[in-house]
């Protein structure tokens, strides 16, 4: 939805709509990520009797909203026709930071515990999100703060529901 709508808004110069789409996307993705993480914390409290395993999962869940938000900003970059640049945060920086950190740990003979691995992952998620935000700010052709915020929730929902269903089926098929 973000790629399609951002591209249309860019083409038509509808910067107020793009601003509204970004605001609502950030709001919904953040809320959903936090709610799912809280739900999973509760679920793992009951199904994981080992406190150490629970803690590792809980730490991992901290990074989930950051990855979801990064996806929102990266999709916006794609919609602004910055497709190859949009790959940098998630395809280059995120795994590159993880790999570099693990190699440094191995080279210094430190022990890579599950806790440290999760913290590396979360830290890399946050760094890649910060880069995605910075890239979007840099490559927006206008300063969005100069425009009022407009919303078209009806259209976004109408377009978004089929896309979510298709993505859900695709995800389900990948996991099976």
């Amino acid at each position: 939805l973000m790629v399609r709508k951002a591209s249309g808004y860019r083409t038509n110069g509808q910067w107020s709509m793009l601003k509204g789409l970004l605001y609502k996307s950030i709001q919904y993705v953040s809320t959903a990520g936090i709610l799912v993480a809280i739900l999973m914390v509760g679920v793992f409290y009951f199904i994981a009797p080992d406190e150490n395993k629970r803690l590792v999962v809980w730490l991992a869940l901290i990074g989930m909203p950051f990855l979801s938000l990064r996806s929102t900003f990266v999709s916006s970059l794609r919609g602004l026709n910055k497709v190859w640049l949009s790959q940098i945060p998630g395809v280059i920086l995120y795994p590159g930071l993880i790999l570099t950190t693990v190699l440094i740990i191995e080279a210094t003979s430190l022990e890579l515990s599950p806790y440290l691995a999760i913290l590396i992952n979360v830290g890399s998620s946050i760094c890649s999100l910060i880069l995605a935000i910075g890239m979007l700010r840099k490559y927006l052709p206008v300063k969005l703060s100069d425009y009022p915020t407009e919303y078209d929730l009806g259209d976004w929902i109408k377009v978004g529901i089929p896309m979510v269903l298709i993505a859900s089926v695709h995800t389900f098929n990948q996991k099976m």
Side-chain angles (χ1 to χ4, degrees), residues 43-105:
V43 167
F44 276 95
Y45 179 78
F46 292 108
I47 67 170
D50 182 5
E51 190 173 319
N52 288 329
K53 289 180 183 176
R54 262 191 303 209
L55 185 57
V56 169
V57 171
W58 290 349
L59 287 172
L61 290 171
I62 291 170
M64 194 170 68
F66 299 115
L67 290 173
S68 300
L69 280 171
R70 184 191 71 208
S71 179
T72 300
F73 287 101
V74 164
S75 296
S76 301
L77 281 167
R78 283 190 211 119
L80 294 173
N81 207 24
K82 304 295 182 193
V83 177
W84 71 270
L85 286 172
S86 72
Q87 301 300 309
I88 294 171
V91 178
I92 297 171
L93 181 67
Y94 175 67
L97 285 174
I98 293 172
L99 179 62
T100 302
T101 308
V102 169
L103 289 173
I104 290 170
I105 289 169

Side-chain angles (χ1 to χ4, degrees), residues 83-143:
V83 177
W84 71 270
L85 286 172
S86 72
Q87 301 300 309
I88 294 171
V91 178
I92 297 171
L93 181 67
Y94 175 67
L97 285 174
I98 293 172
L99 179 62
T100 302
T101 308
V102 169
L103 289 173
I104 290 170
I105 289 169
E106 285 297 315
T108 58
S109 300
L110 294 173
E111 184 179 333
L112 182 62
S113 69
Y115 302 108
L116 184 55
I118 294 299
L119 290 175
I120 292 167
N121 190 337
V122 171
S124 299
S125 301
I126 293 169
C127 289
S128 65
L129 171 62
I130 291 168
L131 178 64
I133 292 169
M135 290 176 70
L136 181 61
R137 291 184 80 167
K138 178 178 181 175
Y139 292 106
L140 273 169
V142 298
K143 188 175 176 185

Side-chain angles (χ1 to χ4, degrees), residues 3 9 16 27-28 36 40 47 80 106 108 110 112 114 117 125 141 148-151 155 162 170 175:
V3 175
Y9 295 151
S16 296
Q27 182 181 31
Y28 292 150
V36 168
M40 296 308 293
I47 67 170
L80 294 173
E106 285 297 315
T108 58
L110 294 173
L112 182 62
S125 301
T149 307
E150 292 182 27
Y151 304 102
D155 182 52
H170 177 70
K175 302 296 179 192

